[in-house]
Amino acid sequence: MATIKFVVDGKPVSVSADPSMPLLYALRNDLKLKNPHFGCGVAQCGACTVHLEGEPIRSCVTPLSAVKGRRVTTIYGLGTPEKPHPLQAAYVEEQVPQCGYCINGWIMTAAAFLEKNPRATEAQVREALAGLKCRCGTHVSILRAIKRAQAAMA
Amino acid sequence: MDITLSRRDFLKASGALIVSASMPGFVEPALAQAAATGRPPLVPEELDSWVAVLPDGRVSAFFGKMDMGQCLDVAIAQIVADELDVPFERVTVFMGDTATSCNQGGASGSTGIYEGARPLRNAAAEARRILVELASRKLGVPAGRLAVTDGVVASLDDASKRLSYAELIGGRHFNSKVEWNKKTGNAMDVKGRAKPKSPSEYKVVGKSFPRRDVAGKVYGTAPYVTDISVPGMLHARVIRPPRAACVAEKVDERSIRSVRGARVVREKGFLAVVAPKEWDAVRAAQMLKVQWSEAKDPFPPMEKLHDHIRAASTLKREEPVKKGDVEAAFKGAARVVEAEYEWPFQSHASMGPGCAVADVRKDGATVWTGSQKPHFGRDGVARLLGLPPEKVHAIWVMGPGSYGRNDAGDALMDATLLSKLTGKPVRVQGMRRDGMWDPKGPASVHRGRAALDASGKVIGYDFTSRGFSRVNIATNESDPRDSLAGMEVGMPPKPQVGFGVPAESYGFANKRLAWEVIPPLLARCSPLRTSHLRDPVGPEIHFSSEQFIDELAAATGEDPVAFRLRYLTAPRDIAAVKAVAEKSGWSPRPAARGPRAGELLTGRGIAYAQRGGTIVAVVAEIEVERKTGRIWGRKFTVAHDCGLIINPEGLRYTIEGNVVHGLSRTLFEEVRFDRNTVTSVDWLNYPIVEMQDAPETIQVVLINHPDIAPTGAGEPTIRCIPAAVANAFFDATGVRLRRAPLTPERVKAALASA
């Protein structure tokens, strides 16, 4: 057991837990931030993605000890209905999610990528999103939403 | 009918229940209050079971199916709004809660609109009739001189004579009966004295209203079943055997001593660990030392699977389509064309492993489930606990996908059993490898034979599908014997037998469509047990039958579209095939171009099928990389006719999802196994489509038939995708791929041997 302090969505937090516990369990159970989802637990699907210092990471395999003193951003920190991230606004416009369990990973991964590559081509976007899974087959509308977000961000 | 319930009573009776749909945990007091305040019982023959008018004029519709992101609830709201003459925005649809809706079968067989909307439509029409009659009495105006606009009943002759629905009944019950057809599940229907509107009167149906669940999913506020938390809840992980047909012989409970609060729960063959903290349950599951019995090699070698299917005994054979004299046609044939196709076991491979929460008390139980059939799940929980169904409250909360009987139902039974055994609320979620215990889509072999006369005309047609039962495990969770937990505690399984035949209208004079089912590889607790996966047995049957039709076109030197049009008999089928050919810019040419040179080969292929009254035709345009064996399904064109269209945009997205899910199953998906167990335990060994392989374009032609009652869209398209791709592969390469999935290895091998 250890008490680990870090910052989530701009707020300082403190979690007392096994330092080897994956960050995902701290976010979901201790901090009640439910949107990063448990999909596979082995970093193969992306449903648990959050940003660590702006970089997308898979929180299901990131030990809590690794975020000590660092900045974590979840989808709640990315945007809200009142102040949406352009990707979120585009996802709503394009009606992207079906079951929606995977969507956190797609948005968080694309947000970090577009931050650095706002004018990425579709081929580059596809490559950047490799490894993410969606079982409902919403891929084509995800690409439409990303194009829409790119236009809004330009 | 004109009962007097105060607004407060109504909110207690109905409103609080509504709150419970989005706020799990507040339900039991509401139920008790409902009983106390005389709300009519939740039975199909009560109008109040279907529709309610709130004090502010908003309308609640109670739907016994549920939407998982395909716009179904929106479509239901549109239908109810039109029948009641209220604005769409005023209608809220509540679904998936056994305390607020009757058992309409849950999500099932693309029947959400086709069958699910019927009682809602009829109930809403009946409610409107009653409201108009009530207004007629109160206003002293004949019903025939009243009109309803935006939920206000007004005299056609004197605009000052008007009453809103809210004034007429808001917050009170109808207490009026409707006629129930005495069926439960998909076929449940009710009728009132009112006649629903004719499609020409629709104002809301047919328009693309946006979905209501999107924002919550995009901003992370929508609840999932995985998010449910009940005070005092324990977290559990079920320990399933590492090999099929094994049992725990020795469990070393001391091996998890170091994990705070963790303990072993065992009941016969059922084994789990529980702990107050989730991570502790996960760690305990990893640390628990179990001695398992020796494996018995229940499965054939994977490479021999289809030989096993061919050689196994036949449990049952049926010939649902039998026309003319097939044997005589083959005897008189100038030429016989034959081909055989193979399909693997496929997994639901949902985005996350199954999850459920159960709170079992002495006097009843509340369960939260992602199962797409929560009403049946309630019945199964009641059976497992030995309680009457009305003592069990099942609440559906969006799960990590669904698409048939995935592992959500097993999680529900696991959680129920664990809550009973521990006396506490229990949340169960699997780890990834547990998700691979889902009931599988059956593996199969399909054989087509056709007799041609000297002119090349098809005079005999014989198509047989042979495989594992699509219902070895039932399609719903109403009986715990169909769950892993039920079998592990010793309940005898109750396998059923069924498969299917192609759904088409080819008018071959002598025609036989048959199926044969073989025994399961393992009678109980099998990771290869089979059940419903999106469009059960549709993709595999039509992968084969629609490729075989293409093979016949090639054998007779005819263009695949022209060949289909020559033999199709149903006008809507013909129209769909013509529409997809036109939209995709199909240029006719004989089916076989023969082997072709080049590194990047392109081709197009068509497939068509019916499903439950819906007709779909698909053209796939693909690229094949000779060196890598990669197939890219670059462009798909879909012509889709499901009768009256309720919400065009919602329909379009649903079709797109079908295309991509179908492409995934065509190119990538195959459950791997060894002699003892399933070895596809995560996304590395059960790959699905990813973004690099998603199509560039999906174009959809929606064929609207306002005069034809709407049918389904959740599954029909997926059954056309495998054959459309395989036929395009043949067009591109001159080589047939008769075994799915069409992996790079198989592509390379097929091209090398061509």
Side-chain angles (χ1 to χ4, degrees), chain B residues 49-283:
Chain B
S49 299
W50 300 96
V51 65
V53 178
L54 300 187
D56 62 3
R58 281 179 300 141
V59 171
S60 302
F62 305 106
F63 189 38
K65 291 184 170 290
M66 62 279 322
D67 173 62
M68 278 155 296
Q70 279 92 31
C71 201
L72 181 55
D73 57 327
V74 171
I76 295 294
Q78 289 178 256
I79 288 165
V80 167
D82 254 341
E83 291 301 337
L84 269 171
D85 281 315
V86 296
F88 165 77
E89 292 75 15
R90 219 176 277 172
V91 183
T92 309
V93 177
F94 296 93
M95 50 191 174
D97 186 326
T98 62
T100 59
S101 58
C102 299
N103 184 359
Q104 288 188 268
S108 170
S110 303
T111 61
I113 300 285
Y114 175 37
E115 294 184 290
R118 280 200 301 238
L120 272 303
R121 186 191 301 280
N122 292 340
E126 177 70 356
R128 183 188 183 281
R129 184 192 68 78
I130 290 170
L131 288 162
V132 170
E133 268 192 14
L134 193 53
S136 166
R137 283 210 302 276
K138 290 197 169 179
L139 295 171
V141 176
R145 298 305 302 161
L146 289 170
V148 186
T149 312
D150 287 353
V152 176
V153 191
S155 164
L156 288 169
D157 310 304
D158 176 357
S160 70
K161 291 191 170 176
R162 50 195 288 132
L163 283 167
S164 69
Y165 285 174
E167 290 166 316
L168 286 164
I169 202 161
R172 286 171 292 135
H173 303 301
F174 287 97
N175 272 319
S176 182
K177 302 280 184 211
V178 284
E179 190 188 323
W180 173 35
N181 67 355
K182 303 291 177 205
K183 287 181 177 159
T184 296
N186 293 341
M188 179 179 281
D189 199 4
V190 297
K191 279 196 175 72
R193 281 160 54 200
K195 189 168 169 276
K197 290 181 176 174
S198 84
S200 62
E201 297 172 83
Y202 292 153
K203 297 186 185 106
V204 183
V205 164
K207 295 205 173 87
S208 293
F209 287 93
R211 278 169 44 209
R212 293 165 162 177
D213 56 327
V214 169
K217 289 170 177 174
V218 167
Y219 296 107
T221 54
Y224 286 87
V225 68
T226 44
D227 304 338
I228 300 298
S229 184
V230 178
M233 167 179 101
L234 292 173
H235 288 272
R237 289 294 178 277
V238 179
I239 315 290
R240 298 251 126 87
R243 299 176 297 271
C246 285
V247 291
E249 288 180 335
K250 224 163 118 190
V251 177
D252 179 6
E253 302 200 8
R254 288 172 313 164
S255 59
I256 59 168
R257 250 187 330 192
S258 64
V259 184
R260 199 180 29 166
R263 62 191 172 96
V264 171
V265 183
R266 246 182 123 174
E267 167 99 351
K268 296 177 185 163
F270 177 84
L271 177 63
V273 291
V274 294
K277 301 271 273 182
E278 186 176 16
W279 178 240
D280 291 331
V282 173
R283 283 202 308 145

Side-chain angles (χ1 to χ4, degrees), chain B residues 10-11 28-29 71 84 142 159 278 283 310 343 420 435 582 617 637-638 647 691 695 724:
Chain B
F10 178 77
L11 287 176
E28 297 311 322
C71 201
L84 269 171
E278 186 176 16
R283 283 202 308 145
R310 278 182 274 265
W343 190 269
K420 179 189 162 190
E582 189 189 324
T637 306
V638 180
N647 185 313
M691 194 50 109

Side-chain angles (χ1 to χ4, degrees), chain B residues 88 103 148 271 318 329 354 450 473 506 554 563 574 586 634 655 708:
Chain B
F88 165 77
N103 184 359
V148 186
L271 177 63
E318 278 197 8
I473 298 297
Y506 295 114
F563 182 86
I574 293 167
W586 185 274
R634 192 173 64 76
I655 292 168
I708 297 173

Side-chain angles (χ1 to χ4, degrees), chain B residues 440-457:
Chain B
K440 304 295 184 291
S444 51
V445 171
H446 307 260
R447 185 163 181 238
R449 291 167 68 227
L452 310 182
D453 70 10
S455 73
K457 186 180 169 198

Side-chain angles (χ1 to χ4, degrees), chain A residues 1 18 20-22 25 28-30 34-35 37-40 42 44-45 47 75-76 79-81 84 88-89 91-103 106-107 126 129-137 139-144, chain B residues 68-70 210-211 213-215 217-220 224 226-227 260 277-279 282-283 347-349 351-353 398-401 403 427 429-432 632 653 656-657 660-661 664 669 682-684 686 688-692 694-696 698:
Chain A
M1 285 288 284
D18 170 7
S20 68
M21 178 175 84
Y25 293 89
R28 288 184 53 82
N29 296 340
D30 297 284
K34 296 289 192 183
N35 198 252
H37 290 131
F38 180 91
C40 66
V42 285
Q44 293 175 7
C45 77
I75 201 163
Y76 302 105
T80 60
Q88 289 173 310
Y91 267 63
V92 171
E93 276 297 313
E94 294 288 346
Q95 305 259 299
V96 173
Q98 291 189 19
C99 95
Y101 197 79
C102 68
I103 285 300
W106 292 94
I107 292 183
R126 282 176 184 252
L129 300 177
L132 297 172
K133 306 292 187 297
C134 166
R135 197 55 173 146
C136 300
H139 302 67
V140 178
S141 59
I142 288 173
L143 289 174
R144 279 197 297 261
Chain B
M68 278 155 296
Q70 279 92 31
R211 278 169 44 209
D213 56 327
V214 169
K217 289 170 177 174
V218 167
Y219 296 107
Y224 286 87
T226 44
D227 304 338
R260 199 180 29 166
K277 301 271 273 182
E278 186 176 16
W279 178 240
V282 173
R283 283 202 308 145
S347 170
H348 294 82
M351 269 310 292
M398 180 74 70
Y403 300 120
R427 176 188 186 275
Q429 186 172 18
M431 303 306 283
R432 187 74 218 161
W632 182 31
Y653 294 128
E656 283 188 0
V660 178
H661 191 177
S664 183
E669 297 188 29
D682 59 34
W683 295 115
L684 293 180
Y686 192 80
I688 64 169
V689 70
E690 292 195 14
M691 194 50 109
Q692 299 95 311
E696 185 178 82
I698 300 173

Side-chain angles (χ1 to χ4, degrees), chain B residues 225 240 354-360 366-382 384-385 392-395 405-419 426 428-429 476-478 483 485:
Chain B
V225 68
R240 298 251 126 87
C355 178
V357 179
D359 182 8
V360 177
T366 306
V367 295
W368 290 264
T369 175
S371 160
Q372 61 179 31
K373 301 181 192 331
H375 292 80
F376 286 122
R378 168 199 59 192
D379 299 348
V381 167
L384 186 63
L385 297 173
V392 177
H393 180 192
I395 303 162
R405 181 160 183 170
N406 66 354
D407 54 340
D410 282 311
L412 174 60
M413 296 303 156
D414 291 343
T416 301
L417 185 57
L418 282 164
S419 181
V426 173
V428 168
Q429 186 172 18
N476 65 60
E477 289 92 5
S478 61
S483 70

